[in-house]
Amino acid sequence: MKRRDSEPALYAGDLFGEIYQAQQVEPPAPVTPRTLAPGLVTCLIAALAAMWLAEHYGFPAILLGLLIGLALNFLSEHPALGQGLDFAARHFLRFGIVLLGMQVTLAQIGAIGWLPFAGLLAIMASAFGAALLGARIVGQGRYAGVLAGGATAICGASAALALYGVIGRDRLDQSRFTITLVGIALASALALSLYPLIAETLGMNDAQAGYLVGASIHDVAQAIGGGYAISDEAGAQATIIKLARVALLAPVVALVALWLGEAGRGEAGPRPAWRRISLPWFIVAFLLLVVVNSFAPMPDGFAEGGLAGSKFLLLLAVTATAMRSQLSLLIEAGWRPLVPVMAATLASFATALLVSATLIG
């Protein structure tokens, strides 16, 4: 068979020096709306199913999105779905985090008071420390500890996704990341069921109960919902405390980037500290939105719509991430990646219980 001159041949050699014509690999298809549509539609259907189940059966939508995504993992092997799922996992996450900035103002953080705020920092530090210790005990490494500790200390899955962007896939594989997301969603759902009951059993007042729930439950919606399950006063307190944790997302991501350095540098060596502390664009946009909302508060309808949009985009991102995870690697990872999450959750709750009982009147 003759080859046209316009089609250059590729050659390779085996271990014995034989030269043969190699198979030419097709270049990846360009990213267009047409190539993104199949994966995005599949992810959207799975996310809507998770929302429907969450509304009718009372389970957290994030947890259901993870489980449905894992159940549909086999679909990611279809080449037509890859680009859309990758796009959803990466870009929807970033815009979802940006929209969280519509919920926070600097005045809300200042209204907490310096002593309760110091207690909140102690709670977050205990979550980080326990996660790092738990990861070290079971041999998961500091990156797994940072991911679990940061997600527990700040705002659950959204913080985990933001921190994973700093850590990088080359330092923490996606299977352990997915298991961490599952553990965070399970822990948050369990906390929503138990923490309000514990607060009432211990006879805490509304301020103490709201502080406990807002400072220790991971997910934003569940922390706020847990507070209002106790009383309106406790719900208001839980909302302020939880949003203060959300506002600390940007500083924590910056400190983690400074500590760990840039992923994928390899032999290039570490960059100067002032370069390593540079934040991803979506964290910068989150901060800017917080500042804008502080000096020009948005109408309630915009804030509520922003929260709903953020939750939906994060649900899409989590569902797509689960669909792209390799189940074989999840099975190999086993239960060990859950240990840092459990350690951080217990430490966070114990410290929050101590702080709310001693510092909150």
Side-chain angles (χ1 to χ4, degrees):
M1 179 181 295
K2 292 185 179 180
R3 178 180 55 84
R4 292 181 297 177
D5 293 338
S6 59
E7 297 177 354
L10 298 178
Y11 295 94
D14 60 20
L15 293 176
F16 302 100
E18 296 291 338
I19 304 297
Y20 57 90
Q21 188 168 352
Q23 183 179 3
Q24 189 166 356
V25 179
E26 292 291 333
V31 178
T32 64
R34 184 174 181 178
T35 59
L36 292 176
L40 292 179
V41 171
T42 303
C43 179
L44 176 63
I45 293 172
L48 291 175
M51 291 179 64
W52 188 90
L53 292 171
E55 182 179 352
H56 286 77
Y57 294 98
F59 287 96
I62 290 290
L63 176 59
L64 291 171
L66 279 166
L67 296 178
I68 292 174
L70 290 173
L72 297 177
N73 175 265
F74 65 94
L75 292 177
S76 65
E77 298 177 0
H78 196 289
L81 303 182
Q83 285 192 0
L85 293 177
D86 288 340
F87 183 92
R90 182 176 305 173
H91 297 287
F92 289 166
L93 145 73
R94 295 170 177 174
F95 287 109
I97 291 174
V98 170
L99 290 178
L100 281 177
M102 298 175 64
Q103 313 304 313
V104 190
T105 66
L106 298 176
Q108 290 173 332
I109 301 171
I112 296 175
W114 72 268
L115 198 57
F117 186 76
L120 187 61
L121 295 179
I123 295 166
M124 297 173 66
S126 69
F128 261 102
L132 289 169
L133 179 61
R136 183 174 182 179
I137 290 174
V138 296
Q140 289 297 296
R142 64 172 179 167
Y143 302 121
V146 168
L147 179 68
T152 303
I154 307 173
C155 50
S158 55
L161 291 161
L163 287 169
Y164 192 54
V166 173
I167 294 171
R169 296 184 182 183
D170 58 326
R171 298 192 288 201
L172 187 70
D173 59 80
Q174 195 165 10
S175 62
R176 287 192 289 171
F177 170 63
T178 303
I179 292 178
T180 300
L181 284 178
V182 172
I184 291 167
L186 288 171
S188 191
L190 187 63
L192 175 61
S193 303
L194 295 179
Y195 291 4
L197 294 177
I198 294 174
E200 292 183 2
T201 301
L202 295 177
M204 290 183 164
N205 59 38
D206 290 336
Q208 291 172 330
Y211 188 96
L212 172 66
V213 170
S216 55
I217 294 182
H218 315 330
D219 180 74
V220 175
Q222 292 175 9
I224 295 173
Y228 279 105
I230 300 172
S231 69
D232 290 345
E233 292 77 9
Q237 173 81 326
T239 300
I240 294 172
I241 298 300
K242 183 60 190 179
L243 292 180
R245 291 168 63 190
V246 174
L248 293 172
L249 174 62
V252 169
V253 171
L255 290 174
V256 169
L258 180 63
W259 177 33
L260 299 182
E262 186 180 8
R265 290 289 292 173
E267 297 180 356
R271 297 195 299 176
W274 66 273
R275 291 289 301 278
R276 281 183 278 145
I277 203 172
S278 59
L279 295 173
W281 70 265
F282 57 91
I283 298 296
V284 176
F286 166 84
L287 271 177
L288 291 175
L289 204 52
V290 170
V291 173
V292 170
N293 193 32
S294 299
F295 294 98
M298 299 181 184
D300 292 338
F302 279 86
E304 293 174 2
L307 179 59
S310 174
K311 290 166 59 178
F312 185 61
L313 289 172
L314 292 173
L315 175 61
L316 288 170
V318 166
T319 304
T321 299
M323 292 180 69
R324 292 294 278 171
S325 300
Q326 298 183 31
L327 289 179
S328 60
L329 295 178
L330 291 176
I331 296 173
E332 290 177 9
W335 55 270
R336 294 181 186 274
L338 293 175
V339 172
V341 176
M342 293 186 290
T345 300
L346 292 174
S348 176
F349 174 72
T351 310
L353 190 62
L354 177 64
V355 170
S356 59
T358 57
L359 299 182
I360 310 300

